[in-house]
Amino acid sequence: MTSVSTATEVDWSQPVAALLRIGTAQAHEKAEHSEGAAWLTRGELDREEYVRFLMMLYHVYETFERALDRHATHPVLAPTYNPTLFSRTPSLSADIAYLLETPESSWQSHPIHETLVSSPPEPFADYTARLQELADDESQVPRLLAHAYVRYLGDLSGGQFIKRRLVKAYGLEDGAGVSFYEFKQLGGSGSSTMGDMKKIKEWYRAGMNAGVGDDVALKVAILDEANVAFELNSGLFTTLKPPSEPPMPSSPMPDIMLGEPLTPTTDSPTPKELTPEPAVTKVVYEAPSQEGTFPVASVIAFILALCLSHFVLVLGGFTGDKGYGKLEAVIHWFTDLFSPSA
């Protein structure tokens, strides 16, 4: 397992939330461009393969959420410990059962799950083993915060874009089968909007900063572990089987559901509720100022009227006072016709 921290290049005076976002940017980009991540985030996995992925996530979350429960009073973990808000294990179980069309009490005896646990892919086994290792070593417990950050803030960020793809890809309705991606409101019981989720992330970052404080050794350890968490999650993507149907080559890829991207991705679809109204250029007619100037359109209209009127009058044989009277009338008519205030 590779450690990725770069102590000589990091400004450790920054709060840990900022360090994590900056210090995992490279790992985030690497995971984002893996083939398995592309299949998942574009909703291209076969339904059963997506279920198998959820089963792996179920065991990952079960392992580290059990560890968070066990160490709930640890000073580093306590400020962000909120199982009512964050616990994903129950929703994963519900989604798996729904997608398999089987009772929640019996999905673990499904052949897909029995094969997974009897012959676990190495990256999957490594992930759960690492989490258990941290939970069992008191000196390593603070590193669990890194895993919670990578998973929870990823679910609140890129996970919300992926949810929209999955609903369309698997024909899901009314939140059934995607409850894993849904969160309650902070301090409430209703479903979170995108605005609510932003508040949750802000609350979580503040909690991380409070728990870690100015302890540089803790910051180094947690940033290091966050990069390990990205590597472990990337390992899960390598276990995914290719879609049975060739993916659409032009399908844009949304952000992966891990941690927080350093900058918003340009190819991520924007949720409807976040889509800004298209910019509208307003053409406003400004009345002539009181300083004797005239709008350009009026000047052009006058010149056009003058030239055309002169041509008509000469052609029609109008001369003298009679001609000038006609000229004046035509000029007024054309000016009114082409004036912007008409």
Side-chain angles (χ1 to χ4, degrees):
M1 193 173 298
T2 307
S3 173
V4 205
S5 64
T6 53
T8 58
E9 302 173 6
V10 179
D11 177 9
W12 298 104
S13 66
Q14 298 179 86
V16 71
L19 289 170
L20 285 171
R21 186 164 187 167
I22 297 169
T24 60
Q26 187 174 359
H28 188 283
E29 184 176 0
K30 180 181 177 181
E32 183 177 74
H33 288 87
S34 69
E35 192 171 38
W39 297 331
L40 169 68
T41 56
R42 291 196 294 247
E44 294 170 349
L45 292 175
D46 292 352
R47 190 183 182 102
E48 286 194 351
E49 185 61 9
Y50 175 63
V51 169
R52 193 175 75 94
F53 176 73
L54 289 185
M55 289 175 176
M56 288 191 284
L57 283 188
Y58 172 85
H59 288 285
V60 167
Y61 276 92
E62 183 187 43
T63 303
F64 94 75
E65 288 182 342
R66 189 171 59 240
L68 293 178
D69 292 341
R70 177 179 167 186
H71 299 287
T73 60
H74 192 287
V76 173
L77 304 179
T80 54
Y81 179 70
N82 190 336
T84 302
L85 181 63
F86 288 111
S87 182
R88 301 291 90 192
T89 306
S91 56
L92 280 164
S93 179
D95 289 346
I96 293 168
Y98 179 83
L99 292 167
L100 289 176
E101 299 180 353
T102 188
E104 192 171 341
S105 59
S106 60
W107 69 259
Q108 295 199 32
S109 61
H110 193 281
I112 297 176
H113 184 256
E114 289 186 337
T115 301
L116 177 66
V117 295
S118 63
S119 302
E122 186 177 351
F124 169 50
D126 288 346
Y127 199 164
T128 54
R130 177 58 177 173
L131 293 168
Q132 194 60 54
E133 177 187 355
L134 298 179
D136 293 339
D137 185 344
E138 190 66 32
S139 67
Q140 300 297 312
V141 166
R143 286 176 173 257
L144 289 169
L145 182 65
H147 290 273
Y149 164 81
V150 170
R151 287 300 335 174
Y152 289 146
L153 266 67
D155 298 335
L156 286 161
S157 300
Q160 299 309 305
F161 299 114
I162 296 170
K163 172 188 172 184
R164 294 166 63 85
R165 292 291 183 87
L166 298 176
V167 167
K168 183 177 180 180
Y170 304 123
L172 305 174
E173 296 179 356
D174 301 324
V178 287
S179 62
F180 167 64
Y181 303 97
E182 296 177 355
F183 287 80
K184 295 179 181 178
Q185 295 172 346
L186 185 62
S189 57
S191 297
S192 286
T193 63
M194 297 299 287
D196 293 326
M197 291 184 192
K198 181 180 179 182
K199 293 177 183 177
I200 293 172
K201 289 188 284 186
E202 291 170 351
W203 176 86
Y204 199 87
R205 295 186 201 104
M208 288 194 299
N209 294 339
V212 175
D214 297 324
D215 190 322
V216 173
L218 270 179
K219 292 177 181 179
V220 172
I222 291 170
L223 176 56
D224 179 72
E225 192 65 30
N227 281 290
V228 170
F230 267 97
E231 184 179 346
L232 290 167
N233 278 280
S234 295
L236 292 187
F237 296 146
T238 67
T239 71
L240 297 176
K241 300 172 185 176
S244 57
E245 295 184 6
M248 297 294 290
S250 60
S251 298
M253 177 178 169
D255 179 48
I256 56 173
M257 51 184 185
L258 299 174
E260 298 181 279
L262 187 59
T263 56
T265 55
T266 57
D267 52 1
S268 295
T270 305
K272 185 176 181 180
E273 59 268 29
L274 292 184
T275 304
E277 293 295 327
V280 177
T281 302
K282 295 184 178 180
V283 179
V284 180
Y285 168 66
E286 296 183 2
S289 70
Q290 301 301 314
E291 298 178 0
T293 59
F294 297 90
V296 174
S298 296
V299 174
I300 294 174
F302 179 79
I303 294 172
L304 177 61
L306 182 62
C307 294
L308 187 58
S309 300
H310 183 267
F311 173 76
V312 170
L313 293 174
V314 171
L315 188 65
F318 294 103
T319 58
D321 293 339
K322 178 181 177 182
Y324 286 121
K326 295 284 186 180
L327 175 62
E328 182 178 3
V330 173
I331 289 173
H332 280 300
W333 183 79
F334 270 95
T335 303
D336 289 342
L337 180 64
F338 290 97
S339 174
S341 62

